[in-house]
PDB file of all heavy atoms in Angstrom:
ATOM      1  N   GLU A 616       7.244  27.138   4.060  1.00 92.00           N
ATOM      2  CA  GLU A 616       8.517  27.780   4.372  1.00 92.00           C
ATOM      3  C   GLU A 616       9.294  26.989   5.412  1.00 92.00           C
ATOM      4  O   GLU A 616       8.709  26.242   6.215  1.00 92.00           O
ATOM      5  CB  GLU A 616       8.279  29.191   4.934  1.00 92.00           C
ATOM      6  CG  GLU A 616       7.691  30.149   3.943  1.00 92.00           C
ATOM      7  CD  GLU A 616       7.389  31.507   4.573  1.00 92.00           C
ATOM      8  OE1 GLU A 616       7.954  31.838   5.632  1.00 92.00           O
ATOM      9  OE2 GLU A 616       6.567  32.234   3.995  1.00 92.00           O
ATOM     10  N   HIS A 640      18.289  28.360   5.960  1.00 61.00           N
ATOM     11  CA  HIS A 640      17.307  29.230   5.318  1.00 61.00           C
ATOM     12  C   HIS A 640      17.780  29.784   4.002  1.00 61.00           C
ATOM     13  O   HIS A 640      17.018  30.428   3.300  1.00 61.00           O
ATOM     14  CB  HIS A 640      17.044  30.456   6.207  1.00 61.00           C
ATOM     15  CG  HIS A 640      15.941  30.252   7.170  1.00 61.00           C
ATOM     16  ND1 HIS A 640      14.622  30.370   6.830  1.00 61.00           N
ATOM     17  CD2 HIS A 640      15.966  29.950   8.479  1.00 61.00           C
ATOM     18  CE1 HIS A 640      13.887  30.154   7.895  1.00 61.00           C
ATOM     19  NE2 HIS A 640      14.651  29.905   8.901  1.00 61.00           N
ATOM     20  N   GLN A 674      13.912  32.265  -0.646  1.00 80.00           N
ATOM     21  CA  GLN A 674      14.730  33.129  -1.504  1.00 80.00           C
ATOM     22  C   GLN A 674      14.143  34.523  -1.540  1.00 80.00           C
ATOM     23  O   GLN A 674      12.963  34.719  -1.275  1.00 80.00           O
ATOM     24  CB  GLN A 674      14.780  32.584  -2.942  1.00 80.00           C
ATOM     25  CG  GLN A 674      15.355  31.201  -3.056  1.00 80.00           C
ATOM     26  CD  GLN A 674      14.356  30.165  -2.607  1.00 80.00           C
ATOM     27  OE1 GLN A 674      13.173  30.330  -2.777  1.00 80.00           O
ATOM     28  NE2 GLN A 674      14.863  29.103  -1.996  1.00 80.00           N
ATOM     29  N   VAL A 675      15.015  35.484  -1.905  1.00 76.00           N
ATOM     30  CA  VAL A 675      14.511  36.849  -2.033  1.00 76.00           C
ATOM     31  C   VAL A 675      13.472  36.880  -3.158  1.00 76.00           C
ATOM     32  O   VAL A 675      12.438  37.518  -3.043  1.00 76.00           O
ATOM     33  CB  VAL A 675      15.667  37.847  -2.289  1.00 76.00           C
ATOM     34  CG1 VAL A 675      15.117  39.243  -2.531  1.00 76.00           C
ATOM     35  CG2 VAL A 675      16.599  37.879  -1.083  1.00 76.00           C
ATOM     36  N   LYS A 677      10.781  34.624  -4.771  1.00 80.00           N
ATOM     37  CA  LYS A 677      10.117  33.353  -4.503  1.00 80.00           C
ATOM     38  C   LYS A 677       9.487  32.723  -5.736  1.00 80.00           C
ATOM     39  O   LYS A 677       8.862  31.674  -5.645  1.00 80.00           O
ATOM     40  CB  LYS A 677       9.003  33.549  -3.454  1.00 80.00           C
ATOM     41  CG  LYS A 677       9.475  34.119  -2.128  1.00 80.00           C
ATOM     42  CD  LYS A 677       8.339  34.137  -1.097  1.00 80.00           C
ATOM     43  CE  LYS A 677       7.943  35.562  -0.716  1.00 80.00           C
ATOM     44  NZ  LYS A 677       6.861  35.610   0.277  1.00 80.00           N
ATOM     45  N   THR A 724       0.122  33.908  10.580  1.00 93.00           N
ATOM     46  CA  THR A 724       0.194  35.358  10.769  1.00 93.00           C
ATOM     47  C   THR A 724      -1.055  35.897  11.445  1.00 93.00           C
ATOM     48  O   THR A 724      -1.010  36.922  12.093  1.00 93.00           O
ATOM     49  CB  THR A 724       0.305  36.078   9.419  1.00 93.00           C
ATOM     50  OG1 THR A 724      -0.843  35.739   8.647  1.00 93.00           O
ATOM     51  CG2 THR A 724       1.556  35.681   8.676  1.00 93.00           C
ATOM     52  N   LEU A 728      -3.738  34.676   3.737  1.00 94.00           N
ATOM     53  CA  LEU A 728      -2.727  33.992   2.936  1.00 94.00           C
ATOM     54  C   LEU A 728      -1.738  34.994   2.345  1.00 94.00           C
ATOM     55  O   LEU A 728      -2.066  36.166   2.149  1.00 94.00           O
ATOM     56  CB  LEU A 728      -3.401  33.218   1.796  1.00 94.00           C
ATOM     57  CG  LEU A 728      -4.285  32.055   2.257  1.00 94.00           C
ATOM     58  CD1 LEU A 728      -5.106  31.524   1.096  1.00 94.00           C
ATOM     59  CD2 LEU A 728      -3.429  30.931   2.842  1.00 94.00           C
ATOM     60  N   LYS A 729      -0.525  34.507   2.051  1.00 91.00           N
ATOM     61  CA  LYS A 729       0.457  35.352   1.372  1.00 91.00           C
ATOM     62  C   LYS A 729       0.279  35.162  -0.138  1.00 91.00           C
ATOM     63  O   LYS A 729      -0.305  34.163  -0.586  1.00 91.00           O
ATOM     64  CB  LYS A 729       1.878  34.917   1.761  1.00 91.00           C
ATOM     65  CG  LYS A 729       2.199  35.139   3.220  1.00 91.00           C
ATOM     66  CD  LYS A 729       3.654  34.749   3.529  1.00 91.00           C
ATOM     67  CE  LYS A 729       3.920  34.929   5.013  1.00 91.00           C
ATOM     68  NZ  LYS A 729       5.301  34.614   5.381  1.00 91.00           N
ATOM     69  N   LYS A 751       1.974  25.600  13.246  1.00 97.00           N
ATOM     70  CA  LYS A 751       2.288  26.197  14.552  1.00 97.00           C
ATOM     71  C   LYS A 751       1.079  26.928  15.128  1.00 97.00           C
ATOM     72  O   LYS A 751       1.147  28.107  15.479  1.00 97.00           O
ATOM     73  CB  LYS A 751       3.472  27.158  14.412  1.00 97.00           C
ATOM     74  CG  LYS A 751       4.771  26.447  14.032  1.00 97.00           C
ATOM     75  CD  LYS A 751       5.970  27.411  14.127  1.00 97.00           C
ATOM     76  CE  LYS A 751       7.278  26.697  14.036  1.00 97.00           C
ATOM     77  NZ  LYS A 751       8.433  27.557  14.188  1.00 97.00           N
ATOM     78  N   THR A 754       0.406  29.426  18.135  1.00 96.00           N
ATOM     79  CA  THR A 754       0.718  30.860  18.066  1.00 96.00           C
ATOM     80  C   THR A 754      -0.558  31.688  18.085  1.00 96.00           C
ATOM     81  O   THR A 754      -0.517  32.905  18.273  1.00 96.00           O
ATOM     82  CB  THR A 754       1.388  31.169  16.705  1.00 96.00           C
ATOM     83  OG1 THR A 754       2.354  30.183  16.419  1.00 96.00           O
ATOM     84  CG2 THR A 754       2.026  32.524  16.692  1.00 96.00           C
ATOM     85  N   GLU A 759      -8.779  34.462  17.600  1.00 95.00           N
ATOM     86  CA  GLU A 759      -8.099  34.837  16.360  1.00 95.00           C
ATOM     87  C   GLU A 759      -8.220  33.717  15.338  1.00 95.00           C
ATOM     88  O   GLU A 759      -8.304  33.960  14.135  1.00 95.00           O
ATOM     89  CB  GLU A 759      -6.609  35.093  16.638  1.00 95.00           C
ATOM     90  CG  GLU A 759      -6.333  36.330  17.470  1.00 95.00           C
ATOM     91  CD  GLU A 759      -4.942  36.327  18.102  1.00 95.00           C
ATOM     92  OE1 GLU A 759      -4.235  35.308  18.059  1.00 95.00           O
ATOM     93  OE2 GLU A 759      -4.567  37.374  18.665  1.00 95.00           O
ATOM     94  N   ARG A 820       4.191  20.481  23.901  1.00 96.00           N
ATOM     95  CA  ARG A 820       5.162  21.573  23.826  1.00 96.00           C
ATOM     96  C   ARG A 820       5.035  22.308  25.152  1.00 96.00           C
ATOM     97  O   ARG A 820       3.951  22.787  25.498  1.00 96.00           O
ATOM     98  CB  ARG A 820       4.815  22.539  22.673  1.00 96.00           C
ATOM     99  CG  ARG A 820       5.298  22.066  21.317  1.00 96.00           C
ATOM    100  CD  ARG A 820       5.085  23.114  20.251  1.00 96.00           C
ATOM    101  NE  ARG A 820       5.839  24.334  20.482  1.00 96.00           N
ATOM    102  CZ  ARG A 820       7.138  24.496  20.246  1.00 96.00           C
ATOM    103  NH1 ARG A 820       7.856  23.494  19.800  1.00 96.00           N
ATOM    104  NH2 ARG A 820       7.727  25.661  20.463  1.00 96.00           N
ATOM    105  N   TYR A 822       5.729  25.289  27.724  1.00 96.00           N
ATOM    106  CA  TYR A 822       6.051  26.705  27.840  1.00 96.00           C
ATOM    107  C   TYR A 822       6.012  27.073  29.318  1.00 96.00           C
ATOM    108  O   TYR A 822       5.415  26.339  30.112  1.00 96.00           O
ATOM    109  CB  TYR A 822       5.005  27.553  27.108  1.00 96.00           C
ATOM    110  CG  TYR A 822       5.028  27.440  25.608  1.00 96.00           C
ATOM    111  CD1 TYR A 822       3.978  26.809  24.929  1.00 96.00           C
ATOM    112  CD2 TYR A 822       6.064  27.988  24.861  1.00 96.00           C
ATOM    113  CE1 TYR A 822       3.979  26.727  23.539  1.00 96.00           C
ATOM    114  CE2 TYR A 822       6.068  27.909  23.473  1.00 96.00           C
ATOM    115  CZ  TYR A 822       5.025  27.281  22.824  1.00 96.00           C
ATOM    116  OH  TYR A 822       5.022  27.205  21.459  1.00 96.00           O
TER     117      TYR A 822
ATOM    118  N   GLU B 201       7.600  41.310   8.191  1.00 92.00           N
ATOM    119  CA  GLU B 201       6.483  40.804   7.386  1.00 92.00           C
ATOM    120  C   GLU B 201       5.147  41.111   8.052  1.00 92.00           C
ATOM    121  O   GLU B 201       5.065  41.271   9.274  1.00 92.00           O
ATOM    122  CB  GLU B 201       6.595  39.283   7.237  1.00 92.00           C
ATOM    123  CG  GLU B 201       7.786  38.821   6.431  1.00 92.00           C
ATOM    124  CD  GLU B 201       7.891  37.300   6.387  1.00 92.00           C
ATOM    125  OE1 GLU B 201       6.885  36.610   6.637  1.00 92.00           O
ATOM    126  OE2 GLU B 201       8.997  36.821   6.102  1.00 92.00           O
ATOM    127  N   HIS B 225      -2.292  41.036   2.803  1.00 60.00           N
ATOM    128  CA  HIS B 225      -0.991  40.445   2.493  1.00 60.00           C
ATOM    129  C   HIS B 225      -0.572  40.667   1.071  1.00 60.00           C
ATOM    130  O   HIS B 225       0.522  40.312   0.693  1.00 60.00           O
ATOM    131  CB  HIS B 225      -1.062  38.926   2.675  1.00 60.00           C
ATOM    132  CG  HIS B 225      -0.718  38.487   4.052  1.00 60.00           C
ATOM    133  ND1 HIS B 225       0.577  38.345   4.490  1.00 60.00           N
ATOM    134  CD2 HIS B 225      -1.497  38.150   5.073  1.00 60.00           C
ATOM    135  CE1 HIS B 225       0.545  37.923   5.734  1.00 60.00           C
ATOM    136  NE2 HIS B 225      -0.683  37.795   6.113  1.00 60.00           N
ATOM    137  N   VAL B 260       5.886  38.122  -4.176  1.00 76.00           N
ATOM    138  CA  VAL B 260       6.575  36.920  -4.628  1.00 76.00           C
ATOM    139  C   VAL B 260       8.055  37.271  -4.837  1.00 76.00           C
ATOM    140  O   VAL B 260       8.943  36.513  -4.509  1.00 76.00           O
ATOM    141  CB  VAL B 260       5.921  36.347  -5.903  1.00 76.00           C
ATOM    142  CG1 VAL B 260       6.721  35.183  -6.442  1.00 76.00           C
ATOM    143  CG2 VAL B 260       4.500  35.916  -5.594  1.00 76.00           C
ATOM    144  N   LYS B 262      10.790  39.576  -3.401  1.00 80.00           N
ATOM    145  CA  LYS B 262      10.994  40.443  -2.241  1.00 80.00           C
ATOM    146  C   LYS B 262      12.084  41.484  -2.431  1.00 80.00           C
ATOM    147  O   LYS B 262      12.379  42.249  -1.511  1.00 80.00           O
ATOM    148  CB  LYS B 262      11.363  39.600  -1.011  1.00 80.00           C
ATOM    149  CG  LYS B 262      10.331  38.574  -0.615  1.00 80.00           C
ATOM    150  CD  LYS B 262      10.712  37.873   0.704  1.00 80.00           C
ATOM    151  CE  LYS B 262      11.007  36.401   0.491  1.00 80.00           C
ATOM    152  NZ  LYS B 262      11.354  35.702   1.760  1.00 80.00           N
ATOM    153  N   THR B 309      10.896  31.253  13.363  1.00 93.00           N
ATOM    154  CA  THR B 309      10.956  29.915  12.767  1.00 93.00           C
ATOM    155  C   THR B 309      11.683  28.932  13.663  1.00 93.00           C
ATOM    156  O   THR B 309      11.454  27.742  13.604  1.00 93.00           O
ATOM    157  CB  THR B 309      11.725  29.947  11.434  1.00 93.00           C
ATOM    158  OG1 THR B 309      13.035  30.445  11.688  1.00 93.00           O
ATOM    159  CG2 THR B 309      11.029  30.826  10.419  1.00 93.00           C
ATOM    160  N   LEU B 313      17.972  33.246  10.440  1.00 94.00           N
ATOM    161  CA  LEU B 313      17.473  34.377   9.664  1.00 94.00           C
ATOM    162  C   LEU B 313      17.144  33.939   8.237  1.00 94.00           C
ATOM    163  O   LEU B 313      17.701  32.966   7.731  1.00 94.00           O
ATOM    164  CB  LEU B 313      18.535  35.485   9.641  1.00 94.00           C
ATOM    165  CG  LEU B 313      18.819  36.140  10.988  1.00 94.00           C
ATOM    166  CD1 LEU B 313      20.060  37.013  10.891  1.00 94.00           C
ATOM    167  CD2 LEU B 313      17.633  36.971  11.443  1.00 94.00           C
ATOM    168  N   LYS B 314      16.239  34.676   7.599  1.00 91.00           N
ATOM    169  CA  LYS B 314      15.951  34.428   6.191  1.00 91.00           C
ATOM    170  C   LYS B 314      16.894  35.281   5.348  1.00 91.00           C
ATOM    171  O   LYS B 314      17.450  36.267   5.831  1.00 91.00           O
ATOM    172  CB  LYS B 314      14.506  34.843   5.875  1.00 91.00           C
ATOM    173  CG  LYS B 314      13.468  34.015   6.597  1.00 91.00           C
ATOM    174  CD  LYS B 314      12.059  34.428   6.172  1.00 91.00           C
ATOM    175  CE  LYS B 314      11.025  33.641   6.981  1.00 91.00           C
ATOM    176  NZ  LYS B 314       9.652  33.959   6.585  1.00 91.00           N
ATOM    177  N   LYS B 336       6.601  37.459  18.118  1.00 97.00           N
ATOM    178  CA  LYS B 336       5.707  36.369  18.541  1.00 97.00           C
ATOM    179  C   LYS B 336       6.502  35.268  19.256  1.00 97.00           C
ATOM    180  O   LYS B 336       6.435  34.095  18.898  1.00 97.00           O
ATOM    181  CB  LYS B 336       4.982  35.796  17.313  1.00 97.00           C
ATOM    182  CG  LYS B 336       4.014  36.790  16.691  1.00 97.00           C
ATOM    183  CD  LYS B 336       3.146  36.112  15.632  1.00 97.00           C
ATOM    184  CE  LYS B 336       1.996  36.973  15.215  1.00 97.00           C
ATOM    185  NZ  LYS B 336       1.090  36.326  14.267  1.00 97.00           N
ATOM    186  N   THR B 339       5.780  31.569  20.498  1.00 96.00           N
ATOM    187  CA  THR B 339       5.792  30.408  19.599  1.00 96.00           C
ATOM    188  C   THR B 339       6.959  29.487  19.934  1.00 96.00           C
ATOM    189  O   THR B 339       7.018  28.350  19.473  1.00 96.00           O
ATOM    190  CB  THR B 339       6.047  30.893  18.151  1.00 96.00           C
ATOM    191  OG1 THR B 339       5.271  32.031  17.886  1.00 96.00           O
ATOM    192  CG2 THR B 339       5.761  29.813  17.145  1.00 96.00           C
ATOM    193  N   GLU B 344      14.395  26.052  22.825  1.00 95.00           N
ATOM    194  CA  GLU B 344      14.568  26.417  21.417  1.00 95.00           C
ATOM    195  C   GLU B 344      15.057  27.854  21.312  1.00 95.00           C
ATOM    196  O   GLU B 344      15.832  28.203  20.424  1.00 95.00           O
ATOM    197  CB  GLU B 344      13.239  26.287  20.654  1.00 95.00           C
ATOM    198  CG  GLU B 344      12.738  24.861  20.491  1.00 95.00           C
ATOM    199  CD  GLU B 344      11.251  24.788  20.139  1.00 95.00           C
ATOM    200  OE1 GLU B 344      10.541  25.808  20.205  1.00 95.00           O
ATOM    201  OE2 GLU B 344      10.804  23.682  19.812  1.00 95.00           O
ATOM    202  N   ARG B 405      -1.922  37.190  26.617  1.00 96.00           N
ATOM    203  CA  ARG B 405      -2.497  36.429  25.499  1.00 96.00           C
ATOM    204  C   ARG B 405      -3.008  35.141  26.134  1.00 96.00           C
ATOM    205  O   ARG B 405      -2.244  34.402  26.754  1.00 96.00           O
ATOM    206  CB  ARG B 405      -1.432  36.079  24.447  1.00 96.00           C
ATOM    207  CG  ARG B 405      -1.163  37.205  23.469  1.00 96.00           C
ATOM    208  CD  ARG B 405      -0.200  36.754  22.382  1.00 96.00           C
ATOM    209  NE  ARG B 405      -0.761  35.714  21.543  1.00 96.00           N
ATOM    210  CZ  ARG B 405      -1.667  35.902  20.590  1.00 96.00           C
ATOM    211  NH1 ARG B 405      -2.139  37.096  20.358  1.00 96.00           N
ATOM    212  NH2 ARG B 405      -2.126  34.878  19.885  1.00 96.00           N
ATOM    213  N   TYR B 407      -4.519  31.439  26.094  1.00 96.00           N
ATOM    214  CA  TYR B 407      -4.641  30.210  25.330  1.00 96.00           C
ATOM    215  C   TYR B 407      -5.368  29.191  26.186  1.00 96.00           C
ATOM    216  O   TYR B 407      -5.431  29.344  27.408  1.00 96.00           O
ATOM    217  CB  TYR B 407      -3.252  29.655  24.997  1.00 96.00           C
ATOM    218  CG  TYR B 407      -2.448  30.471  24.016  1.00 96.00           C
ATOM    219  CD1 TYR B 407      -1.322  31.175  24.427  1.00 96.00           C
ATOM    220  CD2 TYR B 407      -2.798  30.519  22.671  1.00 96.00           C
ATOM    221  CE1 TYR B 407      -0.564  31.905  23.524  1.00 96.00           C
ATOM    222  CE2 TYR B 407      -2.050  31.242  21.760  1.00 96.00           C
ATOM    223  CZ  TYR B 407      -0.936  31.935  22.194  1.00 96.00           C
ATOM    224  OH  TYR B 407      -0.189  32.647  21.293  1.00 96.00           O
TER     225      TYR B 407
END
Side-chain angles (χ1 to χ4, degrees):
Chain A
E616 294 176 20
H640 270 279
Q674 300 76 33
V675 175
K677 302 186 246 180
T724 59
L728 294 169
K729 294 183 182 182
K751 294 189 168 183
T754 316
E759 291 162 351
R820 278 187 63 78
Y822 291 111
Chain B
E201 294 177 20
H225 270 279
V260 174
K262 301 186 246 181
T309 58
L313 294 169
K314 295 183 184 182
K336 293 190 168 184
T339 316
E344 292 162 350
R405 277 185 65 76
Y407 291 110

